[in-house]
């Protein structure tokens, strides 16, 4: 009889998504990435080494009432950054900042650290990517060279922890980036998910035990995920994404997970020659060079987290050059565009479906709010009719498949922001009850009611679908 083989304890981990497999394969069955499986020894049991299981110590269970009010916060002094974190960093917490390479993550954290250090905080910056000289050069260019940030370049986690143990724990500790950190404790190549997981775990544990605020920087892979996201995202208390379009100078810091504050909050920055500048009034920036006299442009009064934000939505409806009409969206969901086009055709009798349609959100912003529907619909109709929408008018309202327009929450906040920026009118859903001095509201009940506003009520424009 054949001798039974000892059970293999080796697993193969996908370096792209973190899925584990028992057999090697050329393609990851979970995420479809090619050649991404790497052999990994099983992780050592927590606490290290084979340990005899002893009797546990009982602990007291308590009720849900909090004894201390709010967790204390450590503001960095960069207001946009602090707001996204929920009012400052929480001692002992870990935060992950993800973003494309070159988007400005290192710049942002260096500014936050310098600002924190300037007000007497203790700040440590560990760079695993850039040499001392590079970081210093950047600090000099941004005018931060004199701020008392302590800088180190290291990639080995044991070295980093040993260095941190030689002095009092810092108020804020930055690791730039987590993908460069490796540990000698496990037998896996640097940059693999196993390394990433172990190093992050050690750092998070250090933060929790020392009370330091840990900022981990992580690069994002092409499909928009932090490499090995499952390995790190569940370990940290908050995940922020730093995003922006390459060609634009706006950068948006967005919170996607936060155990100590709100999510969906955004902070807006502008990349300048001397670092990132905070944008206290983003609407002004996003509407900066708008041309309200040309057809196809509508202003949407939106909401990002708790903040109202006005953005311009641009549409172009052109004759289709080839058989299948083209659809392209930037900063907008293509499924949502298809829905609006279908509603315009079936409820208003406009023949837009047969045309090429392009929809763009100005300034590189991404709009995900359904309340933007009527702004997009008005922009499409206006481009179709060739007539500009009424000037200084903002739009908001959600369109349902039946063509009804519904009011979104926080109408008053949106209208106030529009009034502040000099808008004198707004087109809103019928149920909207907000009133703002100096603003004329036009209500629409059905998407067809927009036709008169967008110059589509002319019979020549109406085409059979
Ligand atoms: P960086 O912070 O190095 O990006 P990341 O850490 O996310 O990879 O930012 C790099 C880009 O930012 C670089 O292309 C140049 C630009 N930049 C400026 O435009 N102005 C500045 O003052 C700085 C520091 C960077
Ligand atoms: Mg960097």
């Amino acid at each position: 009889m054949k001798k039974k083989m000892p059970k293999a304890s080796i697993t193969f981990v996908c370096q792209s998504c973190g899925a584990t497999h028992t057999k090697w394969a050329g393609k990851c069955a979970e995420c479809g990435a090619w050649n991404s499986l790497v052999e990994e020894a099983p992780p050592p049991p927590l606490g290290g080494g084979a340990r005899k299981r002893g009797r546990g110590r009982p602990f007291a269970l308590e009720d849900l009432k909090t004894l201390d009010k709010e967790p204390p916060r450590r503001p960095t002094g960069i207001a946009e950054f602090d707001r996204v974190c929920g009012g400052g960093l929480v001692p002992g917490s870990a935060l992950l900042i993800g973003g494309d390479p070159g988007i400005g993550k290192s710049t942002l954290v260096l500014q936050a650290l310098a600002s924190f250090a300037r007000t007497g905080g203790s700040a440590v910056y560990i760079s695993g990517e850039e040499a001392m000289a590079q970081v210093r050069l950047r600090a000099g260019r941004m005018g931060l060279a004199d701020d008392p940030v302590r800088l180190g370049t290291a990639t080995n986690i044991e070295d980093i922890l040993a260095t941190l143990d030689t002095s009092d724990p810092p108020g804020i500790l930055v690791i730039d980036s987590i993908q460069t950190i490796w540990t000698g404790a496990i037998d896996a190549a640097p940059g693999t998910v196993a390394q990433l997981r172990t190093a992050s775990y050690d750092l998070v544990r250090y933060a929790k035990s020392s009370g330091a605020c840990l900022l981990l920087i992580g690069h994002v892979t092409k499909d928009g995920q932090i490499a090995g996201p499952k390995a790190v995202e569940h370990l940290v208390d908050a995940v922020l994404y730093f995003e922006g379009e390459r060609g634009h100078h706006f950068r948006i810091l967005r919170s996607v997970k936060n155990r100590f504050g709100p999510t969906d909050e955004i902070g807006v920055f502008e990349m300048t020659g001397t670092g990132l500048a905070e944008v206290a009034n983003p609407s002004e920036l996003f509407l900066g060079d708008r041309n309200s006299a040309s057809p196809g442009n509508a202003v949407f009064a939106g909401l990002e987290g708790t903040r109202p934000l006005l953005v311009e939505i641009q549409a172009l409806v052109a004759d289709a050059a080839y058989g299948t009409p083209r659809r392209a969206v930037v900063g907008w969901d293509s499924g949502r565009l298809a829905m609006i086009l279908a509603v315009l055709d079936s409820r208003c009798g406009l023949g837009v479906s047969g045309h090429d349609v392009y929809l763009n959100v100005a300034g590189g912003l991404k709009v995900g709010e359904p309340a933007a529907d009527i702004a997009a619909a008005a922009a499409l109709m206006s481009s179709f009719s060739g007539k500009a929408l009424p000037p200084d008018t903002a739009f908001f309202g959600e369109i349902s498949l039946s063509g009804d327009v519904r009011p979104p929450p926080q109408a008053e906040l949106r209208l106030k922001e529009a009034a502040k920026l000099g808008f004198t009118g707004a087109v809103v859903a019928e149920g909207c009850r907000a009133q703002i001095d100096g603003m004329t509201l036009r209500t629409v009940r059905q998407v067809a009611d927009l036709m008169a506003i967008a110059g589509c009520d002319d019979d020549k424009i109406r085409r059979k679908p």
Side-chain angles (χ1 to χ4, degrees):
M1 213 175 92
K2 226 169 109 183
K3 212 173 150 198
K4 211 172 166 192
M5 292 280 288
K7 203 169 157 226
S9 53
I10 304 254
T11 53
F12 297 88
V13 178
C14 172
Q15 300 306 306
S16 172
C17 72
T20 53
H21 304 266
T22 49
K23 277 198 207 121
W24 189 86
K27 185 182 182 184
C28 172
E30 285 294 323
C31 69
W34 284 97
N35 212 12
S36 65
L37 299 199
V38 169
E39 183 180 321
E40 239 174 49
L46 289 183
R51 197 168 53 141
K52 210 169 143 238
R53 188 175 284 230
R55 272 176 74 92
R57 254 181 306 143
F59 55 89
L61 299 172
E62 296 177 21
D63 58 25
L64 289 171
K65 277 199 292 287
T66 37
L67 298 178
D68 19 60
K69 285 158 251 116
E70 271 274 288
R73 300 274 179 176
R74 254 173 227 162
T76 61
I78 309 271
E80 292 289 301
F81 180 79
D82 291 340
R83 208 201 29 257
V84 177
C85 302
L89 297 165
V90 177
S93 71
L95 195 145
L96 174 69
I97 300 179
D100 289 330
I103 204 75
K105 299 180 297 298
S106 302
T107 310
L108 176 72
V109 292
L110 188 59
Q111 275 179 260
L113 269 190
S115 162
F116 180 70
R118 210 176 304 140
T119 53
S122 140
V124 171
Y125 185 97
I126 305 288
S127 175
E129 263 171 21
E130 290 165 309
M132 285 285 194
Q134 278 174 294
V135 182
R136 287 207 176 110
L137 200 68
R138 174 187 296 147
R141 203 147 48 82
M142 294 173 8
L144 305 175
D146 293 330
D147 293 319
V149 174
R150 285 179 298 155
L151 172 67
T153 51
T155 53
N156 180 268
I157 185 74
E158 283 81 26
D159 292 351
I160 295 173
L161 293 176
T163 309
L164 291 169
D165 280 341
T166 58
S167 58
D168 285 342
I172 301 182
L173 168 65
V174 167
I175 304 290
D176 186 5
S177 68
I178 187 62
Q179 273 108 343
T180 59
I181 308 296
W182 62 280
T183 168
I186 59 165
D187 196 15
T192 55
V193 172
Q195 285 284 2
L196 195 72
R197 200 192 290 139
T198 316
S200 308
Y201 181 75
D202 285 349
L203 285 164
V204 169
R205 210 168 41 172
Y206 170 77
K208 292 242 186 301
S209 63
S210 68
C213 304
L214 175 66
L215 293 186
L216 297 175
I217 294 184
H219 290 295
V220 159
T221 50
K222 270 192 236 84
D223 53 6
Q225 300 221 292
I226 297 176
K230 288 187 199 110
V232 183
E233 284 199 1
H234 72 276
L235 281 177
V236 296
D237 299 297
V239 179
L240 310 182
Y241 277 91
F242 202 40
E243 41 186 54
E245 295 286 327
R246 269 302 159 83
H248 293 287
H249 44 277
F250 314 127
R251 298 283 182 270
I252 291 170
L253 185 67
R254 194 184 288 279
S255 118
V256 293
K257 160 182 170 178
N258 195 348
R259 288 187 184 144
F260 301 111
T263 49
D264 295 330
E265 197 65 77
I266 65 163
V268 184
F269 297 89
E270 187 179 356
M271 187 57 99
T272 68
T274 53
L276 291 156
E278 292 179 66
V279 178
N281 193 343
S283 300
E284 250 164 43
L285 199 71
F286 289 116
L287 294 180
D289 35 1
R290 128 188 103 99
N291 179 5
S292 52
S294 65
N297 296 345
V299 173
F300 164 52
L303 208 61
E304 285 283 352
T306 53
R307 267 210 307 188
L309 185 64
L310 266 63
V311 282
E312 186 183 55
I313 294 184
Q314 306 165 345
L316 179 64
V317 179
D319 284 335
Y322 304 104
T324 315
R326 263 184 72 84
R327 303 275 182 262
V329 287
V330 178
W332 185 273
D333 179 52
S334 54
R336 198 118 200 130
L337 171 66
M339 189 204 93
I340 293 175
L341 293 176
V343 172
L344 289 186
D345 273 4
S346 62
R347 308 294 167 197
C348 308
L350 296 177
V352 275
S353 298
H355 291 70
D356 286 350
V357 176
Y358 305 89
L359 198 67
N360 177 41
V361 179
L365 198 75
K366 286 193 186 73
V367 172
E369 253 198 304
D373 287 353
I374 69 164
L380 290 165
M381 285 176 167
S382 155
S383 171
F384 193 58
S385 71
K387 293 179 189 153
L389 291 165
D392 295 332
T393 302
F395 292 77
F396 57 89
E398 184 181 345
I399 296 174
S400 69
L401 285 179
S402 61
D404 293 333
V405 179
R406 299 202 192 107
Q410 307 272 23
E412 195 164 328
L413 208 60
R414 299 169 198 262
L415 289 171
K416 271 195 190 137
E417 175 78 0
K420 203 166 85 189
L421 288 160
F423 281 69
T424 51
V427 176
V428 300
E430 200 178 52
C432 172
R433 263 178 270 285
Q435 285 284 338
I436 300 287
D437 287 343
M439 263 204 140
T440 321
L441 299 193
R442 273 176 90 159
T443 56
V444 288
R445 195 168 58 84
Q446 279 277 324
V447 66
D449 300 340
L450 282 172
M451 293 175 72
I453 298 166
C456 279
D457 43 358
D458 194 330
D459 271 347
K460 271 184 278 166
I461 287 161
R462 226 186 265 227
R463 291 172 218 185
K464 279 275 152 277

